[in-house]
Amino acid sequence: MFTRSQSLRDYHTFGLAAEARYFVSVRSTAGLKAVLTSAVGRENPLLFLGGGSNTVFTRDFDGLVVHLNAKGKRVVGARGNSVFVRAQAGEDWHELVCWTLQQGFGGLENLSLIPGRVGAAPIQNIGAYGVALEDVFHELSALEIATNEIKTFARSDCCFGYRDSVFKGELKGRYVILSVVFRLTRADHRIRTSYGAISDELQRRGITDPSIQALSRVVVAIRQRQLPNPKVLGNSGSFFKNPVVSAQRFEALKARYPDIPSYPISPQKHKLAAAWLIERAGWKGCRKGDVGMYAKQALVMVNHGGAIGTEVLELARAMQADIHEKYGIELDAEVELH
Ligand code: EPU
């Protein structure tokens, strides 16, 4: 059942040469339970992997990597204008988005072309272009590792925040997400076009009243233009989170940098664009060895081919220190570093 010394290069989109001591791919809940109760599953540190699009393996993993590969998606209910779709953790995210759009269901269009799989989406509450997973989330099923019992988590149980959930905090490492139920719309879709890049692109295309499918095409075009395709240039999307600062700190920064982009998230808190800070500090398009920051989007670290883990960590630390020195801001990793 287990492979030894498995290369993880093809199992994460950053594409570093790391190995797992043990590796197994599971397609069902029964298979997962069998793995977790086996001697290898009980005696080794565990790491659960979906599409590997947010995990960066900077060194070998001395334990068991469990690749979650359960497939399946179907309508499980409807109420009024809502339709409920359950997708298994191993479903490719963008394939799910396309399938819902083909059925005429609205809600996921702004989240088109995000790499990764369904099971990882709630963990970091994926988001793009003004929509986050929590906006379309209904509930999820997860397996508790210690007891092998399945538990249902409603939205309020997940404590969603910006790129955050209870599965990154209090419950980190305790549950494996098996499937997610989304609440989508059947008609009268809520079209969200306020994000700058989307409204600009719609205007350019002369579209005033986009369908959910047209909006998805616009999002795909923007992402293809700005973000590197991991199949061509290894990367894990945004490497750092956008920092959230107090209104007071924001006012001080604004006085020094009048053009600093920001989004108020409450009267007391502002979210800043990490990409802007990085670009202004001179790191956009930089290259150190075989790692660098993407020339068209400063927040994306890329692997030019032969990157090694220490290069990734060194570049990340150098940037964090420089941004701290220049702006007094801590940049936190958005990717999961191992
Ligand atoms: N900007 C720059 N230089 C750049 C790129 C952007 O100065 O090279 C500035 C611009 O002012 C721009 C602002 O930064 O208006 C925001 O840029 P962008 O719209 O590209 O979004 P982002 O904040 O860099 C976030 C998410 C992305 C998501 C986009 C679109 C995070 C950490 N990242 O990036 O998510 O696709 O918004 O909604 O929140 C990911 O999480 O992996 C990811 C790719």
Side-chain angles (χ1 to χ4, degrees), residues 54 124 127-130 162-163 195 197 223 226-227 236-242 261 263 271-277 279 284 294-300 334:
N54 206 49
Q124 58 148 334
Y129 309 107
Y162 165 60
R163 292 295 189 278
Y195 198 91
R223 292 190 77 97
Q226 285 180 349
L227 298 166
S236 306
S238 302
F239 195 87
F240 298 107
K241 286 194 221 177
N242 283 327
Y263 321 90
K271 199 198 281 180
L272 305 178
W276 187 89
L277 299 170
E279 178 169 350
K284 186 172 180 171
Y294 192 50
K296 293 189 221 163
Q297 221 295 2
L299 192 48
V300 179
E334 196 265 349

Side-chain angles (χ1 to χ4, degrees), residues 53 57 91 122 161 175 260 319 326:
S53 56
F57 289 104
E91 280 288 322
Y175 285 87
I260 190 167
M319 288 173 55
K326 290 194 168 112

Side-chain angles (χ1 to χ4, degrees), residues 22-300:
Y22 296 103
F23 179 91
V24 67
S25 193
V26 294
R27 287 172 180 274
S28 66
T29 303
L32 176 61
K33 285 184 172 181
V35 163
L36 295 181
T37 49
S38 69
V40 172
R42 281 185 283 111
E43 289 160 15
N44 284 281
L46 300 169
L47 191 149
F48 298 93
L49 199 59
S53 56
N54 206 49
T55 305
V56 183
F57 289 104
T58 60
R59 55 195 151 95
D60 291 343
F61 183 71
D62 192 17
L64 169 63
V65 169
V66 183
H67 183 230
L68 302 166
N69 219 3
K71 303 285 185 196
K73 48 188 179 294
R74 64 192 179 94
V75 173
V76 289
R79 195 162 63 228
N81 193 32
S82 296
V83 59
F84 298 87
V85 168
R86 181 184 292 275
Q88 300 300 312
E91 280 288 322
D92 177 79
W93 177 263
H94 184 61
E95 278 176 25
L96 169 71
V97 173
C98 293
W99 182 81
T100 61
L101 292 169
Q102 277 158 16
Q103 317 298 309
F105 302 155
L108 301 185
E109 54 283 353
N110 292 44
L111 304 176
S112 297
L113 210 62
I114 294 183
R117 293 184 174 197
V118 165
I123 299 178
Q124 58 148 334
N125 189 18
I126 59 169
Y129 309 107
V131 176
L133 176 116
E134 63 182 301
D135 302 325
V136 286
F137 179 88
H138 180 60
E139 63 179 35
L140 64 78
S141 292
L143 185 72
E144 187 173 21
I145 296 165
T147 61
N148 241 354
E149 274 171 25
I150 295 176
K151 190 179 161 193
T152 301
F153 287 77
R155 201 163 101 154
S156 57
D157 300 324
C158 296
C159 308
F160 288 122
Y162 165 60
R163 292 295 189 278
D164 199 24
S165 76
V166 73
F167 303 104
K168 281 178 90 172
E170 210 183 308
L171 300 184
K172 190 175 166 86
R174 288 179 45 194
Y175 285 87
V176 186
I177 295 175
L178 301 172
S179 66
V180 181
V181 180
F182 299 91
R183 182 183 189 146
L184 306 174
T185 47
R186 291 203 278 191
D188 301 325
H189 308 298
R190 197 169 150 218
I191 303 285
R192 281 162 286 205
T193 59
S194 58
Y195 198 91
I198 294 212
S199 46
D200 293 350
E201 181 68 20
L202 286 169
Q203 210 173 2
R204 237 166 44 94
R205 295 181 178 212
I207 303 174
T208 48
D209 187 15
S211 63
I212 47 176
Q213 292 83 4
L215 199 48
S216 169
R217 284 193 291 274
V218 161
V219 169
V220 167
I222 296 170
R223 292 190 77 97
Q224 282 176 337
R225 220 166 36 224
Q226 285 180 349
L227 298 166
N229 178 349
K231 290 190 181 124
V232 179
L233 197 59
N235 75 89
S236 306
S238 302
F239 195 87
F240 298 107
K241 286 194 221 177
N242 283 327
V244 176
V245 298
S246 68
Q248 204 181 5
R249 174 165 283 282
F250 171 66
E251 289 309 328
L253 285 164
K254 181 100 184 147
R256 261 170 71 199
Y257 311 105
D259 59 335
I260 190 167
S262 75
Y263 321 90
I265 52 175
S266 78
Q268 295 84 31
K269 302 249 177 246
H270 286 257
K271 199 198 281 180
L272 305 178
W276 187 89
L277 299 170
I278 292 169
E279 178 169 350
R280 211 179 175 288
W283 294 95
K284 186 172 180 171
C286 75
R287 180 166 175 170
K288 308 260 176 217
D290 255 353
V291 292
M293 302 311 288
Y294 192 50
K296 293 189 221 163
Q297 221 295 2
L299 192 48
V300 179

